[in-house]
Amino acid sequence: MSDEERERADKASVSRRAFLKGGAAATGALTAALIPGTAEAQLPDATEPDTRHSTVEMTVNGRLYRADVPNSTTLAQFLREDLKLTGTKLGCDRMQCGACTVVVNGRNVYSCTTLALQATGAEVLTIEGLAKDDALHPIQQAFIEHSGFQCGFCTSGQIMTTKVMLDRMPNPTEDQARLALAGNLCRCSAYKKILESVMAASRMMRA
Ligand code: FES
Ligand code: FES
């Protein structure tokens, strides 16, 4: 490389470094500007675990619970580990399978990606809250009578989603039921029997 070429390369390298440095500073300033009241130096260190705790209070299956939990506790963890309601299953733990579905204020939600804190003050229904006085809920009964499961791992989620759908839409078509249950996967692929169970539950609940 000639002296002239070396000098040109050095200048280009310096200007790339200056650009990257300026860009990083600009990104920090932009972040601080986008989060009101947050100075750049006060941004949380993402590598540090969040150790803060909060009090959560919610009604689960008609009973009021109050507990102090780490802020990062998911609703699934709270139900399964704190309340020992293990009928709610954890499959993917990342919003992809529906095994963890519970009902919160009348809506089916994935409890693996809902924080317990977000459910504070809510009415939560899990599979354990469906049967009344030892009598199975019609949806549970229909799943048994129509063999709506194989290993059963997805079943509580399927049933809780079915509960929300039938509360809102008591007489669905098969296509409407398929659509409502699209977020609940079954690794055993028992979909035909699940659908039969759901349609039977709809008939039983309307009788
Ligand atoms: S465990 Fe929650 S969606 Fe799969
Ligand atoms: S019955 Fe096994 S995953 Fe659905």
Side-chain angles (χ1 to χ4, degrees), residues 44-161:
D45 180 352
T47 60
E48 288 296 316
D50 185 352
T51 54
R52 288 171 297 175
H53 281 58
S54 297
T55 301
V56 296
E57 185 177 290
M58 68 186 83
T59 304
V60 181
N61 302 332
R63 195 169 153 195
L64 186 65
Y65 293 91
R66 191 169 213 268
D68 184 56
V69 298
N71 286 2
S72 57
T73 304
T74 65
L75 181 56
Q77 288 170 329
F78 181 67
L79 295 171
R80 289 176 53 82
E81 295 165 24
D82 292 78
L83 306 190
K84 308 298 180 203
L85 296 173
T86 54
T88 298
K89 302 301 180 197
L90 267 181
C92 64
D93 207 7
R94 60 186 61 192
M95 224 175 170
Q96 288 178 352
C97 73
C100 63
T101 304
V102 298
V103 183
V104 177
N105 290 338
R107 296 179 60 213
N108 47 322
V109 305
Y110 290 161
S111 61
C112 70
T113 40
T114 302
L115 292 176
L117 259 178
Q118 292 175 291
T120 288
E123 296 270 346
V124 179
L125 181 68
T126 72
I127 190 75
E128 290 90 346
L130 279 186
K132 291 279 176 277
D133 301 326
D134 292 338
L136 290 178
H137 189 282
I139 303 173
Q140 294 171 305
Q141 192 62 42
F143 268 71
I144 290 173
E145 289 177 10
H146 293 266
S147 305
F149 52 87
Q150 289 182 29
C151 76
F153 198 80
C154 70
T155 311
S156 57
Q158 305 276 4
I159 288 176
M160 299 319 286
T161 300

